[in-house]
Amino acid sequence: MSAEEILAAVLMGVWLFIPAMVPNTAAVVFGGGTPVDFGRTWKGRRILGDGKTWRGLALGGLAGAAVGALQIWVSHLCGSTDSWGFGPGWSGLGLLLCLSFGALLGDMGGSFVKRRLGRERGAPVPVLDQLDFAVGALLAAAACRPGWVYASYIEGWHILVLAVLLAAVYVLHRSANRIGYALGLKDEPW
Ligand code: CTP
Ligand code: MG
């Protein structure tokens, strides 16, 4: 493999992950209302907390899938037969749904862990806050298309693509949240 090949694989790895990166940001913008846990507690602590809402889950997931559908549409306009990596025809649609809703499920998993650790809604837990959604998206995608996740992010030197992706996700997530905070969309800068 050459440096060009690795660079191309990294760019591809980030491009393919866009449907997983949109949902949480969209949930900040469009979320609110009834919490997913309906306010219920477990052992004296909230199951997920008021920061995870049904509206955020539904609209965030749809936003991620819509952006992914747009990516596939553009690739088809350019004559791609494999939807630029999402898969031939419209088979990539299932993958999009896994990436977008998996990201939100991972984010909820992160909140579940935070509540078990006794951290209130919005309290920062470094690394978990930034990467929970990425792990959720990758696990959901692996459940739906294991071969795709393996070939894109794990096989041989592709593990490097995963490392760069997670580092980029970490930095992007932190900057996006600072911008959201500055714009008054978010209550905390993390
Ligand atoms: N959000 C939502 N529904 C979701 C996810 C997020 O409505 N499923 C919105 C909430 O308004 C939330 C904001 O996006 O407050 C920021 O999300 P996040 O930082 O993940 O939640 P926190 O409020 O920080 O709560 P937690 O401590 O549980 O992460
Ligand atoms: Mg938070």
Side-chain angles (χ1 to χ4, degrees):
M1 58 99 187
S2 64
E4 285 82 8
E5 267 181 283
I6 295 181
L7 182 64
V10 167
L11 289 177
M12 189 59 143
V14 173
W15 165 259
L16 292 171
F17 211 61
I18 289 176
M21 298 200 266
V22 169
N24 290 287
T25 307
V28 176
V29 179
F30 303 122
T34 311
V36 174
D37 66 7
F38 294 109
R40 276 189 294 236
T41 56
W42 183 41
K43 292 184 182 169
R45 300 189 200 284
R46 283 291 293 274
I47 299 176
L48 299 174
D50 284 332
K52 306 297 118 153
T53 68
W54 286 105
R55 210 167 72 205
L57 180 61
L59 298 182
L62 288 177
V67 169
L70 207 66
Q71 289 176 272
I72 291 184
W73 180 64
V74 169
S75 77
H76 286 189
L77 284 185
C78 297
S80 169
T81 50
D82 81 328
S83 308
W84 279 339
F86 285 106
W90 288 92
S91 70
L93 274 182
L95 185 58
L96 295 183
L97 293 172
C98 284
L99 285 169
S100 58
F101 283 96
L104 291 158
L105 289 178
D107 176 54
M108 290 198 288
S111 294
F112 180 80
V113 171
K114 284 170 78 173
R115 301 301 91 84
R116 306 290 70 75
L117 294 172
R119 305 297 165 89
E120 297 297 328
R121 170 202 179 171
V125 176
V127 183
L128 184 69
D129 278 332
Q130 289 81 32
L131 296 184
D132 53 7
F133 83 91
V135 172
L138 286 170
L139 287 179
C144 157
R145 295 253 297 271
W148 180 87
V149 173
Y150 185 70
S152 307
Y153 298 108
I154 295 169
E155 192 177 24
W157 54 265
H158 281 88
I159 198 80
L160 199 70
V161 177
L162 182 65
V164 174
L165 176 73
L166 292 180
V169 156
Y170 183 87
V171 173
L172 263 176
H173 190 277
R174 294 195 51 145
S175 345
N177 282 353
R178 280 206 202 99
I179 294 169
Y181 176 72
L183 293 176
L185 289 169
K186 255 192 130 269
D187 296 334
E188 308 88 16
W190 49 77

